Amino acid sequence: MRRPLRILQVTDLYEPFIGGMEQHVKSLSRGLASRGHKVTVATARLPGTADEETVDGVHISRIAGWSSQLLANRHMRSDVPFHPPIPDPGVMARLRAIIDDTRPDVVHTQGWITYSCLAIASHRRFQLVVTMHDYGVPCVRRTLMRNGLRPCSGPRLGACLRCAPGQYGTVNGTALTMGLRAVRPLHNRVDSWVAISRYVAESSRGTLPRGCAISVIPPVSSQPTLSGQRPSWLPVEDYFLFVGALGRHKGLNWLLDAYTSGKLRRPLVIIGTRREDTPKSWPPGVVVKTDVPHQQVMDAWHHARIGLVPSLCQEGFGLVALEAMRSAVPVVASRIGALPGIVRDGTSGLLVAPGNTTELMAAIRRLDDDPELRRTMGSAGLLLAEQFSAETVTSLYEKHYRRLLTSQSEVSSSSAASATGGL
């Protein structure tokens, strides 16, 4: 029987913060712990959370660095710690202590906190795995959208310096852009790069070490656990549902314009997190809820008639679409980024050209008017989503960790043999 592994998951944010990456780390960590591995999560300290606690077999260490104090009230959400794309000395010190205490076989990082891990990884005995959940390696806005409005072909310093201030302001945008460019040499310290989709892998390759391998492992899509209660804020009648960041890059403004001009007769429910470009007002018939617990999000999916994913950005994966499919909800999504690999056009949903209001409204009406088509596509989506289940993805990562450790052991044995002349 193989020995259990000691695994340290390092992530910018974690529960109770709600987001696709955070849900993935939570599900993966608990899945690994249920298989007998010793799993620790190191993450930012959030208001009202314990510094140390163990939940479902996973030990959580919440840490605070210098950036969380220096950048307080200087980024989009003052209540959420922000790790810049440069090493944070305070985070580095706490990570060293956690690593010394847990002696991990594998350190698995996600988010910009990765750069604090890379800064202390020059002399260590663990394997360092980095999962790219978005375009945060090549793009300081993390969306690969030039000025937040149109797709970007890749980072160029001058263009990035002009683009970043639109999201962060001039001072912060310039500093973050230069920081992300300056830390590229640290990429050589990574043992294994993982991307959540082939699209993210290819879009990030230009800023990674030449010739490095990038494995593709999808994020976890957990089987929805329903509370059995319909959230009181949901409309009584059937509704369409949008879940995601409340910004232009997610196609929210396009969706609202289409909803208003199309005069759809059903309510539109919008669930998400606010951004600097979140609309200040909402059309009649639109119900907006922010910072909703994930349990209630899944309950909302369970009661939704159609899921809407009208992204205008190059989606790195499309976890929202997958959550809808896990709830047997047919999806109308943009034909952009990795979304066509998640939503099978004509099978589990309908794909439309980004920004094409006529196509968007026609797809919504087609599904809304055809109950048999909704049922068929919902059932197909449920089957397709199984390939992204927590059990499947946890197995993929477990095998990936062991392959890395086996390779490391073989290299070490070969080096030792060479040093002793093979005796």
Side-chain angles (χ1 to χ4, degrees), residues 393-412:
V393 176
T394 299
S395 294
L396 290 173
Y397 268 111
E398 185 178 41
K399 292 174 182 176
H400 189 71
Y401 296 155
R402 290 200 183 278
R403 278 197 302 269
L404 286 174
L405 292 168
T406 299
S407 298
Q408 178 195 38
S409 178
E410 291 173 351
V411 169
S412 299

Side-chain angles (χ1 to χ4, degrees), residues 204-268:
S204 304
R205 189 175 295 279
T207 49
L208 301 183
R210 182 174 298 179
C212 75
I214 307 176
S215 301
V216 176
I217 301 178
V220 172
S221 170
S222 300
Q223 182 66 39
T225 54
L226 304 177
S227 66
Q229 297 181 345
R230 183 186 178 106
S232 59
W233 44 266
L234 285 175
V236 175
E237 62 268 52
D238 285 354
Y239 56 87
F240 309 131
L241 179 58
F242 168 99
V243 177
L246 305 183
R248 289 182 175 274
H249 69 296
K250 292 295 185 180
L252 180 58
N253 297 71
W254 169 39
L255 174 61
L256 293 175
D257 290 343
Y259 180 78
T260 302
S261 61
K263 299 179 181 179
L264 294 174
R265 62 182 182 274
R266 301 191 189 282
L268 169 61

Side-chain angles (χ1 to χ4, degrees), residues 30-111:
R30 293 182 178 182
L32 290 166
S34 70
R35 295 178 178 218
H37 302 295
K38 184 177 181 181
V39 182
T40 302
V41 172
T43 188
R45 183 185 301 149
L46 290 168
T49 58
D51 289 352
E52 304 283 338
E53 65 176 332
T54 299
V55 180
D56 292 336
V58 176
H59 186 76
I60 306 166
S61 292
R62 296 188 174 90
I63 60 181
W66 295 4
S67 58
S68 61
Q69 300 175 24
L70 294 174
L71 298 177
N73 301 316
R74 295 176 66 88
H75 50 91
M76 286 186 293
R77 293 188 55 180
S78 59
D79 59 323
V80 177
F82 177 82
H83 196 298
I86 56 174
D88 179 316
V91 172
M92 289 164 57
R94 288 291 294 119
L95 287 176
R96 282 194 187 98
I98 293 170
I99 289 171
D100 288 343
D101 182 54
T102 60
R103 295 178 297 111
D105 300 300
V106 175
V107 174
H108 184 178
T109 77
Q110 28 257 309

